[in-house]
Amino acid sequence: MEGVPAIFPCEKDCAQFQQLSELPGVELYQAHISRYAFEPHTHEAFGIGTIESGAQRFRYRGTQYTAPENSLVMMNPDELHTGESACDEGWRYQMIYIQPQLMDELTGDRGWWFNEAMLTDLRLAQPLSQILTALWQADSALARQSLLSELFRLMRPLARMSAQQKPEAQHRFDHVRDYLRANLAEPVRLESLAALASLSPWHFLRAFRDHFHVTPQQMLMAYRLYEAKQLLARGESAASVAATVGLTDQAHLTRAFAQRYGITPGRYQKQVMRR
């Protein structure tokens, strides 16, 4: 991956990741974005963060949001979303991504879920921002674990626990979503997906987008790129990762990865494997 040019068109735009070695399933993210527009992507983890300056516009679960400074952003696992600047100066923000099973284990509560994707409140955003900054700078596992405990204490009143609720009936398109996730490297035909939902191909395409707010191809690419992140974090080569997730080659992985995460696979891998 040496020699890969900068991805962001604006030199002020930057992003960096960090993973915690003692807590697989937790990822930290910091960025300043002014011109870049992120294509639909997923983290398959809870995403919790703050807008520290500027404003972000993002689409989540079919709704368009604008998050100004001192906003909290709370995203549930497996929800595709976009991201772009809502002002000339862009937006600076921090996020933490926590996989659902680990969230249950660390908090002792089962079924975390955020009903609201955004909340603008200085009294909550400022301490959350301080916790996230401290997590980046912490020099011991105990310090990071203590900070995570503070983060959960802060966020707990904003979440609901769904363990006691009856499971929702599965939608016909859930089978399609599960099929896409399970067949990342396989050729996917529209007719096959439509058959899973018992619809004609064109009726399926329209109804699928109405339900998920993305096309089947966008969803498939989001799942492919999320899986690529996991494999890169384990130290696998970009060429091997590209083949595993069904992309044409390493160059295809580089383009697609940067469009979703704003960073090349090589840079991402170096950042998360530093610790």
Side-chain angles (χ1 to χ4, degrees):
M1 298 300 293
E2 295 297 326
V4 175
I7 289 297
F8 291 121
C10 177
E11 63 181 10
K12 294 181 180 179
D13 291 357
C14 60
Q16 56 181 338
F17 293 83
Q18 183 186 138
Q19 292 188 350
L20 309 186
S21 58
E22 71 278 4
L23 288 173
V26 176
E27 184 170 79
L28 303 175
Y29 176 73
Q30 293 179 335
H32 175 271
I33 309 295
S34 59
R35 296 291 179 266
Y36 201 81
F38 293 95
E39 294 193 8
H41 60 282
T42 182
H43 301 282
E44 297 192 23
F46 288 98
I48 301 169
T50 58
I51 309 299
E52 299 181 329
S53 66
Q56 179 196 16
R57 183 182 300 110
F58 63 97
R59 188 170 182 84
Y60 174 80
R61 305 194 77 179
T63 300
Q64 191 84 357
Y65 294 88
T66 298
E69 183 176 347
N70 295 320
S71 291
L72 285 78
V73 175
M74 299 157 287
M75 295 184 174
N76 295 312
D78 200 19
E79 294 284 359
L80 276 77
H81 57 278
T82 61
E84 62 182 345
S85 178
C87 59
D88 290 340
E89 65 269 25
W91 85 102
R92 182 168 57 87
Y93 64 118
Q94 295 196 76
M95 299 290 296
I96 184 169
Y97 299 103
I98 307 171
Q99 293 183 1
Q101 182 178 352
L102 185 61
M103 181 81 92
D104 291 347
E105 293 175 2
L106 294 177
T107 64
D109 291 322
R110 298 188 62 82
W112 277 68
W113 200 256
F114 294 108
N115 288 329
E116 302 297 330
M118 189 197 82
L119 174 66
T120 302
D121 189 334
L122 174 62
R123 295 170 299 174
L124 293 173
Q126 193 168 67
L128 177 57
S129 179
Q130 292 169 349
I131 291 171
L132 293 177
T133 298
L135 276 168
W136 274 88
Q137 300 170 348
D139 57 4
S140 73
L142 180 60
R144 290 187 289 272
Q145 290 161 343
S146 299
L147 288 163
L148 275 177
S149 177
E150 287 299 301
L151 184 146
F152 295 138
R153 181 189 62 80
L154 182 69
M155 299 303 298
R156 180 61 179 81
L158 302 179
R160 65 173 171 85
M161 303 299 120
S162 59
Q164 302 304 317
Q165 298 183 1
K166 294 181 180 179
E168 296 180 0
Q170 192 172 42
H171 191 279
R172 67 168 70 186
F173 290 148
D174 292 344
H175 296 297
V176 179
R177 180 192 59 198
D178 294 343
Y179 177 86
L180 292 173
R181 187 186 284 111
N183 293 275
L184 299 180
E186 301 301 320
V188 176
R189 293 177 56 83
L190 173 60
E191 292 79 6
S192 299
L193 298 180
L196 289 173
S198 301
L199 294 172
S200 67
W202 294 107
H203 184 188
F204 164 77
L205 274 179
R206 293 193 301 271
F208 186 95
R209 181 162 191 133
D210 287 344
H211 184 69
F212 286 118
H213 314 292
V214 292
T215 66
Q217 176 63 18
Q218 287 174 318
M219 179 175 284
L220 176 61
M221 286 300 295
Y223 288 150
R224 282 173 168 171
L225 272 298
Y226 180 80
E227 179 64 17
K229 281 182 67 180
Q230 312 314 301
L231 297 175
L232 289 165
R234 296 175 200 156
E236 297 194 21
S237 70
S240 172
V241 169
T244 299
V245 301
L247 300 181
T248 307
D249 52 25
Q250 184 173 333
H252 188 188
L253 172 66
T254 298
R255 291 193 304 272
F257 198 92
Q259 287 169 351
R260 270 77 180 176
Y261 300 116
I263 190 172
T264 64
R267 290 192 180 96
Y268 173 79
Q269 188 172 61
K270 289 177 181 179
Q271 289 178 1
V272 300
M273 297 188 69
R274 283 175 186 165
R275 218 177 255 284

